[in-house]
Amino acid sequence: MKTILRKARAVLLPLLLVGGCTTAQAATLNIFACEPEWGALAQELGGDNVDVFTATTALQDPHHIQARPSLIAKMRKADLLICTGAGLESGWLPLLLRQSGNSKVQPGKPGYFEATRYVETLDKPQSVDRSHGDVHPGGNPHIQTSPHNISKVAAALLPLLQQLDADNSAAYQQRADDFSQRWQAAMQRWETKAAPLRGVAVVVHHRSWSYLQQWLGLKEVATLEPKPGVPASAGHLAEVLQQLDAQPARMIIRAAYQDGRADEWLADKTGLPAIALPFTVGGSEQAQDLFSLYDDTISRLLDGLAP
């Protein structure tokens, strides 16, 4: 009997070890990204070592997402949560976190990452009052509209990936170095191409573009929403129309997910082009990753200058 057991152990032990090695090699870091830009960035830095799930699409308003059971199920399996923060997801993320029961991704844990913590946010309100509309106490959360912010978030995310998946630390470093090199070259190219946009006056639908404006030197002269998150009324649109007589603009811009009816009404009255920008990865047919997101954004803005 002992002889039989020894023989069985000799046969099974190597198979178990091989099975264990295979599992380790196939192991990935499960990442739950709140918005497409962070999912794309995690994929750039993680490659095959990460399995990224993105909770929202570019055609959804990230302020207002339904905490569906399918999202809760995905969060239960996550090793790392990457969200924008600054209150952008305050209407739905806390419920997902609570319902998931996943201790690894709760606030304060290593698996909880808010991108806006690594960027100096703009448009910080003096006070938070619902009468001011949908304002964010942490400042404007739409940081992904500047590639400089993507660089800062990438630099902060890298050591966290290395901490959570130490076995693949070198691979994350290699991919981050490669991404940084390509990203710096792309930013130079974008800034050269976008030079004609400096000083161009724009009407914005929502204050989604503060970082893009700062980066490219665009000048915001009017906002279609009378308050953040409040749809344009007929009276407010009439005020904007009058305001443009004193401060002319060259184009009206909005995010792909926003209702374009107010933009089109103003375009019809003024002759200005109304342009839908992708806003994030997946916001247009051309914007399928972080690089093509900015390629397409700048191309669309330049098209708006065309006579």
Side-chain angles (χ1 to χ4, degrees), residues 109-183:
K109 298 294 184 181
Y112 183 88
F113 182 92
E114 286 188 349
T116 47
R117 292 188 178 182
Y118 305 95
V119 170
E120 184 176 352
T121 56
L122 303 175
D123 307 330
K124 286 184 179 176
Q126 296 294 322
S127 62
V128 178
D129 186 329
R130 294 302 297 172
S131 67
H132 297 154
D134 191 9
V135 295
H136 300 282
N140 191 317
H142 307 301
I143 61 172
Q144 84 283 359
T145 58
S146 168
H148 289 282
N149 292 339
I150 299 292
S151 290
K152 294 174 183 175
V153 176
L157 185 57
L158 170 62
L160 182 56
L161 293 170
Q162 292 174 307
Q163 175 189 341
L164 295 176
D165 184 14
D167 288 346
N168 291 306
S169 177
Y172 292 121
Q173 185 67 59
Q174 185 176 19
R175 290 192 66 89
D177 291 343
D178 175 67
F179 173 74
S180 178
Q181 187 174 14
R182 291 183 290 123
W183 197 248

Side-chain angles (χ1 to χ4, degrees), residues 14-54:
L15 293 175
L16 290 172
L17 289 174
V18 168
C21 288
T22 302
T23 301
Q25 288 169 358
T28 55
L29 204 58
N30 286 314
I31 296 178
F32 183 105
C34 286
E35 288 83 25
E37 61 270 23
W38 309 131
L41 181 60
Q43 199 65 67
E44 286 280 354
L45 302 184
D48 293 338
N49 293 318
V50 296
D51 185 4
V52 180
F53 171 76
T54 302

Side-chain angles (χ1 to χ4, degrees), residues 187-272:
M187 282 201 292
Q188 289 183 8
R189 173 167 53 82
W190 291 326
E191 287 168 7
T192 300
K193 185 176 179 181
L197 294 167
R198 187 156 295 277
V200 168
V202 297
V203 178
V204 301
H205 182 107
H206 174 78
R207 299 207 73 182
S208 308
W209 309 104
S210 295
Y211 302 93
L212 179 76
Q213 293 163 209
Q214 184 186 57
W215 175 43
L216 297 181
L218 296 168
K219 180 183 174 186
E220 178 186 312
V221 297
T223 305
L224 293 186
E225 291 179 344
K227 297 177 182 177
V230 177
S233 63
H236 179 70
L237 288 175
E239 290 177 7
V240 171
L241 189 59
Q242 189 175 19
Q243 185 179 344
L244 290 178
D245 286 336
Q247 293 180 291
R250 296 288 300 276
M251 64 185 83
I252 308 158
I253 60 176
R254 66 179 171 88
Y257 72 84
Q258 290 165 334
D259 187 335
R261 285 176 292 182
D263 307 60
E264 297 297 339
W265 180 88
L266 189 63
D268 183 60
K269 295 294 182 184
T270 60
L272 297 174

